[in-house]
C-alpha cells in the first residue's frame, strides 16, 4: 500500500515474533533475541493467499473498504478462515521485521519517538480547542457530527498555520541577526503549541491600534529574543 506502520514497542519481552528455523538453531544464531522468536512462520500460507491479500490491500488503498471494516470482519472470522489466518501471519512477519529494526537502530527509535511526540502535541491542541461539552461530540445526526469534526479540523489547522508562519519569521530574524539556526534543529520543532491561544473568556481588541502595529508585509511584531545569558 506504500505505507509503513512504525509504532513504539511496549512490553517487547511479551510479544510473539516469528522464525523460519528450529528453536535450537534460532537461539544459537540469536542468543539474545532467540527466546522472543517463539512462533514458526507459515510461508506456504502466505504464498497461497497472496493474490487475495493484494486485492484486500488495493481495496484499502483506493477507498473501497476501510481499515476498521477489514479488521472487524477478520477479527470476527472463524479460525478456519484461511485468509484471516494469512493476514494474521503477515502481520506477525511485519511486526518481527519492525522489532528487529527497532532494537538494532537507535536512530530509528529516536525518529519514532519524535514523530509520536509531535502527534501527541497535536492531539493535545485538539483537546484544548475542543473544550466545549468537555470535548464530547453531542450531536445525534451523523451530518452534524461530521460538521463538528470538520470545524475542529479547520480551527486546528488555522492555529498550526498561524504558529508556523510566525516560527518562520522568527527563524529568519534570528538568522539575519547572526544566530545559527540549523535546519536539523527545526525538524524537531512542532507547531502544535497553544500557549499563545486564549481558549476561554472574551478578548477586547482595539482593531485600529492592532492594525497600526503591522509592518509593511502585514505581520505583527515579533517578541524580543532572549539574551544569551538566559538561553
Amino acid at each position: 500500500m506504500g505505507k509503513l506502520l512504525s509504532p513504539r514497542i511496549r512490553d517487547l519481552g511479551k510479544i510473539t515474533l516469528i522464525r523460519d528455523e528450529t528453536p535450537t538453531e534460532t537461539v544459537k544464531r540469536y542468543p539474545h533475541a532467540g527466546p522472543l522468536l517463539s512462533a514458526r512462520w507459515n510461508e506456504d500460507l502466505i504464498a497461497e493467499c497472496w493474490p487475495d491479500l493484494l486485492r484486500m490491500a488495493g481495496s484499502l488503498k483506493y477507498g473501497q473498504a476501510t481499515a476498521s471494516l477489514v479488521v472487524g470482519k477478520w477479527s470476527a472470522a472463524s479460525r478456519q478462515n484461511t485468509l484471516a489466518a494469512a493476514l494474521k501471519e503477515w502481520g506477525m512477519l511485519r511486526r518481527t521485521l519492525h522489532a528487529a529494526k527497532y532494537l538494532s537502530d537507535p536512530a530509528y527509535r529516536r525518529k519514532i519517538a519524535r514523530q509520536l511526540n509531535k502527534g501527541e502535541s497535536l492531539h493535545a491542541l485538539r483537546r484544548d480547542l475542543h473544550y466545549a461539552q468537555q470535548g464530547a461530540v453531542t450531536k445525534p445526526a451523523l451530518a452534524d457530527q461530521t460538521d463538528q469534526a470538520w470545524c475542529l479540523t479547520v480551527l486546528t489547522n488555522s492555529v498550526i498555520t498561524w504558529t508556523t508562519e510566525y516560527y518562520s519569521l522568527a527563524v529568519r530574524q534570528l538568522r539575519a541577526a547572526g544566530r545559527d539556526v540549523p535546519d536539523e534543529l527545526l525538524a524537531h520543532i512542532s507547531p502544535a503549541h497553544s500557549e499563545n491561544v486564549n481558549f476561554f473568556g472574551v478578548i477586547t481588541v482595539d482593531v485600529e491600534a492592532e492594525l497600526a502595529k503591522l509592518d509593511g508585509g502585514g505581520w505583527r511584531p515579533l517578541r524580543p529574543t532572549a539574551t544569551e545569558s538566559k538561553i
Side-chain angles (χ1 to χ4, degrees):
M1 294 180 59
K3 300 182 183 297
L4 179 64
L5 178 63
S6 302
R8 180 185 295 163
I9 298 180
R10 296 181 56 187
D11 300 326
L12 182 58
K14 299 179 181 180
I15 66 175
T16 301
L17 305 179
I18 60 175
R19 52 180 169 79
D20 60 354
E21 297 176 330
T22 64
T24 302
E25 293 172 339
T26 301
V27 173
K28 183 178 179 181
R29 177 175 294 187
Y30 310 107
H32 298 292
L36 298 176
L37 306 171
S38 57
R40 183 66 180 265
W41 181 35
N42 191 344
E43 184 177 358
D44 294 336
L45 178 61
I46 295 293
E48 177 185 352
C49 298
W50 187 246
D52 292 329
L53 291 174
L54 288 180
R55 280 192 288 270
M56 182 179 62
S59 299
L60 291 172
K61 183 172 184 178
Y62 295 105
Q64 297 177 358
T66 62
S68 59
L69 176 63
V70 171
V71 172
K73 289 292 185 181
W74 295 132
S75 297
S78 64
R79 294 184 179 180
Q80 288 76 26
N81 188 292
T82 305
L83 185 57
L87 182 61
K88 181 179 180 181
E89 196 75 21
W90 177 254
M92 292 176 62
L93 173 62
R94 297 305 309 174
R95 180 171 61 181
T96 301
L97 295 176
H98 171 65
K101 186 176 182 180
Y102 188 88
L103 288 171
S104 61
D105 191 346
Y108 185 61
R109 293 197 297 270
R110 289 194 295 269
K111 180 179 179 181
I112 292 175
R114 184 168 65 247
Q115 290 302 116
L116 286 174
N117 290 337
K118 289 182 179 179
E120 290 168 359
S121 65
L122 180 59
H123 293 323
L125 174 60
R126 288 188 177 125
R127 286 193 297 269
D128 290 339
L129 293 173
H130 196 196
Y131 68 86
Q133 303 292 337
Q134 289 76 48
V137 178
T138 58
K139 302 296 184 180
L142 177 59
D144 293 334
Q145 295 175 3
T146 303
D147 289 341
Q148 188 174 358
W150 276 116
C151 288
L152 178 60
T153 299
V154 170
L155 184 57
T156 303
N157 291 345
S158 300
V159 173
I160 291 177
T161 301
W162 174 275
T163 306
T164 302
E165 290 289 345
Y166 276 90
Y167 274 0
S168 301
L169 290 174
V171 169
R172 287 200 294 267
Q173 179 172 306
L174 289 173
R175 286 173 172 173
R179 295 282 296 274
D180 181 25
V181 185
D183 291 337
E184 293 78 9
L185 178 63
L186 298 179
H188 296 268
I189 297 177
S190 170
H193 296 297
S194 59
E195 290 82 357
N196 59 327
V197 180
N198 185 352
F199 297 103
F200 309 98
V202 177
I203 302 177
T204 302
V205 179
D206 186 343
V207 178
E208 296 299 329
E210 293 298 324
L211 290 176
K213 297 178 182 179
L214 303 182
D215 59 18
W219 299 105
R220 293 168 56 87
L222 298 174
R223 295 177 181 177
T225 59
T227 60
E228 295 294 337
S229 61
K230 294 182 180 180
I231 297 178

